[in-house]
Amino acid sequence: GAVVSQHPSWVICKSGTSVKIECRSLDFQATTMFWYRQFPKQSLMLMATSNEGSKATYEQGVEKDKFLINHASLTLSTLTVTSAHPEDSSFYICSARDKAPHSTDTQYFGPGTRLTVL
Amino acid sequence: QKEVEQNSGPLSVPEGAIASLNCTYSDRGSQSFFWYRQYSGKSPELIMFIYSNGDKEDGRFTAQLNKASQYVSLLIRDSQPSDSATYLCAVRSAGGYNKLIFGAGTRLAVHP
């Protein structure tokens, strides 16, 4: 149980294009999903918290107009990197919080999406 | 002061030894603590969580929590080369959305 998927697992795009990353909780409902970014040899950096049916909460320094987050259902959140530039190249990881009464209320991570912007 | 602090390592231990990973946190109101393992190029995977003071054992892993000292640790018994990874300590914040605050991670290297 507690499986989170991400799609695509890797993407290469040209500078100026937009890229959408999907995060799905496969066997549980996730009222809250989190988006992280990780640069090589650095720790996870939380970008935003996404709640189903409401606007995402962005961390300080993260541009909400550049990183669009949509949490349309209890099992799906999407992150769109708009007008991507080479400095946006990173490993993007989502996590989902299993908040069901029987759960341990922990965050489970997706496998990550490696974005390379040329 | 960082909210969650870990020694970056690398911590090098021989195969079969006990690896001890430490983490301190600054928010005294924190209630939930997690250890994740992250292999290079992969996303974190949950190893253990602990909520109460004391020890919690799961197979070769033991998490220890001391809220008075704001300290949480992870012991790995009978370390194997496959345990070589970065171990992330995470603390759930008491604020809104219960987001996790991660330490920078400790790199563990288990050598044969």
Side-chain angles (χ1 to χ4, degrees):
Chain A
V3 178
V4 178
S5 70
Q6 266 184 257
H7 179 80
S9 55
W10 58 271
V11 57
I12 301 173
C13 69
K14 292 182 180 180
S15 185
T17 60
S18 295
V19 175
K20 179 186 280 189
I21 302 170
E22 291 187 349
C23 177
R24 294 181 184 272
S25 56
L26 298 185
D27 52 1
F28 65 98
Q29 293 185 329
T31 53
T32 306
M33 289 184 172
F34 303 85
W35 287 96
Y36 296 84
R37 181 167 56 181
Q38 187 175 38
F39 293 105
K41 299 193 185 302
Q42 295 187 24
S43 189
L44 295 169
M45 187 192 80
L46 178 65
M47 299 175 67
T49 301
S50 166
N51 286 291
E52 186 264 339
S54 63
K55 290 184 179 180
T57 301
Y58 291 82
E59 295 299 302
Q60 192 172 7
V62 178
E63 300 175 58
K64 57 183 68 176
D65 293 332
K66 181 170 183 64
F67 298 99
L68 302 179
I69 292 172
N70 183 281
H71 193 155
S73 76
L74 287 173
T75 59
L76 173 64
S77 176
T78 60
L79 167 68
T80 301
V81 183
T82 62
S83 187
H85 291 284
E87 58 266 29
D88 297 323
S89 299
S90 188
F91 191 39
Y92 291 85
I93 312 172
C94 74
S95 71
R97 182 182 173 200
D98 184 358
K99 202 173 177 296
H102 66 278
S103 78
T104 56
D105 196 11
T106 56
Q107 282 188 34
Y108 296 94
F109 284 85
T113 296
R114 193 161 300 281
L115 170 64
T116 301
V117 185
L118 301 176
Chain B
Q1 180 187 5
K2 292 182 180 178
E3 296 181 67
V4 179
E5 293 207 45
Q6 295 181 257
N7 189 316
S8 63
L11 173 65
S12 183
V13 300
E15 184 175 356
I18 296 175
S20 177
L21 304 160
N22 305 315
C23 172
T24 58
Y25 60 95
S26 60
D27 184 357
R28 215 168 251 289
S30 301
Q31 296 295 320
S32 309
F33 308 87
F34 305 82
W35 283 99
Y36 288 84
R37 176 175 62 195
Q38 186 176 25
Y39 292 110
S40 180
K42 303 293 185 183
S43 68
E45 56 179 320
L46 179 68
I47 298 177
M48 290 188 71
F49 59 90
I50 185 167
Y51 301 152
S52 304
N53 274 329
D55 295 358
K56 179 181 178 183
E57 188 174 316
D58 184 0
R60 295 186 297 113
F61 300 99
T62 299
Q64 299 174 318
L65 174 62
N66 184 325
K67 291 185 180 179
S69 300
Q70 294 174 244
Y71 175 93
V72 58
S73 66
L74 179 71
L75 301 177
I76 306 174
R77 288 181 298 282
D78 188 24
S79 296
Q80 301 296 310
S82 59
D83 294 327
S84 299
T86 297
Y87 289 80
L88 302 171
C89 171
V91 177
R92 172 167 290 137
S93 71
Y97 303 116
N98 289 334
K99 64 185 181 183
L100 293 181
I101 309 298
F102 282 87
T106 297
R107 191 157 58 91
L108 172 66
V110 181
H111 54 86

